Amino acid sequence: MMLRIAPELNEVKDIVSVGVRNKWLVVLLGVFGVNYKGRAVSELSCGERLLIIKPDRCVLIHNSGGVNPINWMREGSSINAKLNDEVLKIKVLNINPREELVLIIKKVSAVFTNDFSSAGELRVIGSEADMARRIYENPSIISKNFRPVSLEEQTKYGFIDVLGCEEKDYVIVECKRYKAGLSGVQQLRRYVEKFKKARGINNVKGVLAAPSITRNALKMLNDWGFSFKRVEPPMHLIGERMVQEKLSKFLHENETKN
Amino acid sequence: MMLRIAPELNEVKDIVSVGVRNKWLVVLLGVFGVNYKGRAVSELSCGERLLIIKPDRCVLIHNSGGVNPINWMREGSSINAKLNDEVLKIKVLNINPREELVLIIKKVSAVFTNDFSSAGELRVIGSEADMARRIYENPSIISKNFRPVSLEEQTKYGFIDVLGCEEKDYVIVECKRYKAGLSGVQQLRRYVEKFKKARGINNVKGVLAAPSITRNALKMLNDWGFSFKRVEPPMHLIGERMVQEKLSKFLHENETKN
DNA sequence: GACCTTAGCGGCTGC
DNA sequence: GCAGCCGTTAAGGTC
């Protein structure tokens, strides 16, 4: 572990170099500007920012607000620090795609490096896939006669969340976790059209399943002869009223399925 | 500024509380688990992680790899730390939407808090809007007879990147910065259809402008009678061969336009 | 506030 | 590797 408060830039250079070499975590709070050139070109004028270099050698530069970094480089970059002309220049390179990030560091309030071991994965409930699975397992959500056939059926034009039938008709269900918008309708439309064409049939219904839908999207849906099915968001099952026991059970079931 | 290496949890509590109260930056490297409940539900088992609380009170939890946080809360959350049963519990709350994040901290390697002033914004060149502007200003990119009429024209169904005409026909251009896919075709299709309907006309062409296009997307584009126009990515202008002077000029022009 | 879109999207999955 | 798409998407703009 290494740490300096208000260090000289040559000390910073050493700490960053050690951290990068050892694949440790590096955290630096300081004043610097950033130039990026790669998938776009960006310029970030000098100011107080937080620099993070992770063991996997991805680089994050954070402003004082916002969830997303204002600049970043993805994992596997090569990182080089060098002192010149009263500033510390950190150059970060990636190939494929070729990208370059340059930090011009003028002043550092604090810099820190330490081992940072990797830890377990996240488990999430309430995704679109959970929603599709719920429909698959409780087909009456869609209609009395709905009989699900497959889940996340792969096609060349994307995958169909739930495919099923209703008496003699095929039914394609597209799920959206929250309010459905135009793009959801377009997606459904694409699947229905391609499905009809691929099988040379015409009796294919389209259903958009979501907790709600925007006005425009509903209009478009109707224009195309599809229907909207109001479905509780995937979170519904695990809402406030749900007891902890149920949650654990759900989590466990979910886990065993993956 | 406050800092502790391998602190006791009660010290951590104090530092976090001070940092949050003063709207400072808080950085903590330690061993903890995270539970999130809000737009979804997630469970993150105990492990070594990096916690960041920003002055705007957004909260980031990072694993040792990856650009994105593994858990987070958006700005404006309320944050409360309390010691109980040999662990430090940090509860983060947001309303609208109602979300809750709970950290169970078992061990801390380092914790740090410091003022973190906000700094300037990022300037980016090479966006889709830049691409549309280039076409608007250099209409021959689309065709000899293309006459642009408007840029980013707003409609109820999304905005049209470039609208123009070719002799007696209207032309709607949808730009994509990189390889265009199915959704770009669908977008174009939507704009063309709605435009036709809104004006009660039929002579509307659709052009998808991008550096390249996927096979499926091209097929769909052709099926719908639209055309593909290969256009250099917005980065082209500012590629390797471009001298620094030109870049500065471009940056400056861009600036004066915004 | 509703709605739509982009993003240096990131990251995952299936082929 | 390409292709398509979800995401606790985030963030920004317009109506």
Side-chain angles (χ1 to χ4, degrees), chain A residues 67 127-128 158 177-178 187 190-191:
Chain A
V67 169
S127 63
E128 199 179 277
R177 304 173 58 236
Y178 297 121
Q187 235 178 305
R190 186 166 80 221
Y191 299 151

Side-chain angles (χ1 to χ4, degrees), chain B residues 191-242:
Chain B
Y191 300 151
V192 170
E193 282 179 359
K194 290 297 173 183
F195 193 86
K196 281 182 179 172
K197 201 167 177 189
R199 310 225 173 176
I201 54 177
N202 209 34
N203 55 331
V204 182
K205 294 178 181 172
V207 175
L208 188 54
S212 62
I213 185 166
T214 66
R215 280 183 78 83
N216 288 335
L218 182 59
K219 190 169 177 318
M220 196 171 213
L221 197 72
N222 291 333
D223 286 352
W224 278 87
F226 303 137
S227 59
F228 172 66
K229 185 72 204 178
R230 193 181 174 286
V231 173
E232 294 295 336
M235 278 302 302
H236 179 67
L237 274 187
I238 40 189
E240 310 252 345
R241 294 181 305 273
M242 193 183 203

Side-chain angles (χ1 to χ4, degrees), chain B residues 55-251:
Chain B
D56 69 347
R57 291 198 173 128
C58 71
V59 176
L60 314 179
I61 291 148
H62 276 274
N63 251 358
S64 67
V67 169
N68 286 340
I70 190 156
N71 270 129
W72 69 94
M73 291 283 275
R74 284 183 293 189
E75 62 174 308
S77 57
S78 78
I79 300 169
N80 199 278
K82 129 173 136 182
L83 204 59
N84 70 3
D85 291 342
E86 311 290 308
V87 300
L88 178 65
K89 217 167 169 172
I90 298 183
K91 199 177 265 194
V92 187
L93 279 174
N94 252 343
I95 40 176
N96 199 16
R98 195 179 185 292
E99 296 179 289
E100 181 186 288
L101 188 79
V102 180
L103 283 76
I104 309 287
I105 301 180
K106 296 204 172 141
K107 190 169 154 296
V108 174
S109 317
V111 61
F112 166 82
T113 187
N114 197 79
D115 184 40
F116 185 14
S117 58
S118 66
E121 292 301 300
L122 188 70
R123 278 189 319 190
V124 180
I125 316 179
S127 65
E128 200 178 278
D130 290 326
M131 202 169 159
R133 197 179 302 137
R134 194 162 108 236
I135 289 173
Y136 188 82
E137 290 167 0
N138 305 279
S140 64
I141 290 173
I142 298 300
S143 77
K144 264 277 176 267
N145 300 317
F146 180 63
R147 296 287 170 267
V149 171
S150 73
L151 211 47
E152 309 224 333
E153 166 119 352
Q154 296 285 335
T155 78
K156 281 174 68 171
Y157 303 95
F159 62 84
I160 296 170
D161 286 339
V162 187
L163 174 64
C165 49
E166 234 169 30
E167 291 163 3
K168 300 226 178 307
D169 299 325
Y170 284 95
V171 180
I172 290 173
V173 182
E174 173 63 27
C175 302
K176 288 295 160 200
R177 304 171 59 234
Y178 298 121
K179 189 175 278 204
L182 294 173
S183 70
V185 180
Q186 295 274 30
Q187 235 178 307
L188 179 61
R189 180 179 174 185
R190 185 166 81 222
Y191 300 151
V192 170
E193 282 179 359
K194 290 297 173 183
F195 193 86
K196 281 182 179 172
K197 201 167 177 189
R199 310 225 173 176
I201 54 177
N202 209 34
N203 55 331
V204 182
K205 294 178 181 172
V207 175
L208 188 54
S212 62
I213 185 166
T214 66
R215 280 183 78 83
N216 288 335
L218 182 59
K219 190 169 177 318
M220 196 171 213
L221 197 72
N222 291 333
D223 286 352
W224 278 87
F226 303 137
S227 59
F228 172 66
K229 185 72 204 178
R230 193 181 174 286
V231 173
E232 294 295 336
M235 278 302 302
H236 179 67
L237 274 187
I238 40 189
E240 310 252 345
R241 294 181 305 273
M242 193 183 203
V243 286
Q244 189 57 38
E245 190 198 355
K246 260 193 169 176
L247 173 58
S248 315
K249 188 168 165 289
F250 192 7
L251 279 163

Side-chain angles (χ1 to χ4, degrees), chain A residues 15-228:
Chain A
I15 291 180
V16 170
S17 300
V18 169
V20 168
R21 194 179 329 120
N22 291 327
K23 299 205 174 179
W24 285 352
L25 169 72
V26 178
V27 177
L28 181 156
L29 181 64
V31 175
F32 52 92
V34 187
N35 290 300
Y36 165 80
K37 194 168 147 182
R39 288 175 286 175
V41 169
S42 80
E43 223 186 46
L44 187 54
S45 61
C46 204
E48 188 164 26
R49 304 215 168 71
L50 179 70
L51 163 69
I52 293 164
I53 305 173
K54 290 192 184 187
D56 70 347
R57 293 201 171 127
C58 70
V59 176
L60 314 179
I61 291 148
H62 275 274
N63 250 0
S64 66
V67 169
N68 287 338
I70 192 157
N71 269 127
W72 69 95
M73 291 284 275
R74 283 186 293 189
E75 62 174 307
S77 57
S78 78
I79 300 168
N80 199 278
K82 126 170 137 183
L83 204 58
N84 69 0
D85 291 342
E86 312 290 309
V87 299
L88 179 65
K89 215 165 169 175
I90 298 183
K91 199 177 265 194
V92 186
L93 279 173
N94 251 344
I95 40 174
N96 200 15
R98 196 178 185 292
E99 296 179 289
E100 180 186 289
L101 187 79
V102 179
L103 284 77
I104 309 288
I105 302 181
K106 296 204 173 143
K107 190 168 155 294
V108 175
S109 317
V111 61
F112 166 83
T113 187
N114 197 79
D115 184 41
F116 184 13
S117 59
S118 66
E121 292 301 299
L122 187 70
R123 280 189 317 190
V124 181
I125 316 176
S127 63
E128 199 179 277
D130 290 326
M131 204 170 158
R133 196 179 302 137
R134 195 163 107 237
I135 289 172
Y136 187 80
E137 289 166 2
N138 305 279
S140 64
I141 289 172
I142 298 300
S143 77
K144 264 277 176 267
N145 300 317
F146 180 64
R147 297 286 169 270
V149 171
S150 73
L151 210 48
E152 311 223 332
E153 166 116 354
Q154 297 284 335
T155 78
K156 280 174 67 171
Y157 304 96
F159 62 83
I160 296 170
D161 286 340
V162 187
L163 173 65
C165 50
E166 234 171 31
E167 292 164 2
K168 302 229 177 303
D169 299 325
Y170 285 95
V171 179
I172 290 174
V173 182
E174 171 63 28
C175 303
K176 289 295 161 200
R177 304 173 58 236
Y178 297 121
K179 189 175 279 204
L182 294 172
S183 70
V185 180
Q186 297 272 31
Q187 235 178 305
L188 178 61
R189 181 179 173 183
R190 186 166 80 221
Y191 299 151
V192 170
E193 284 179 357
K194 290 298 172 184
F195 193 85
K196 281 182 180 173
K197 200 165 177 191
R199 309 223 174 178
I201 55 177
N202 208 35
N203 55 330
V204 183
K205 295 177 181 172
V207 175
L208 188 56
S212 61
I213 185 166
T214 67
R215 281 183 78 82
N216 288 335
L218 183 59
K219 191 170 177 317
M220 196 170 215
L221 197 73
N222 291 332
D223 286 352
W224 278 86
F226 303 136
S227 60
F228 172 67

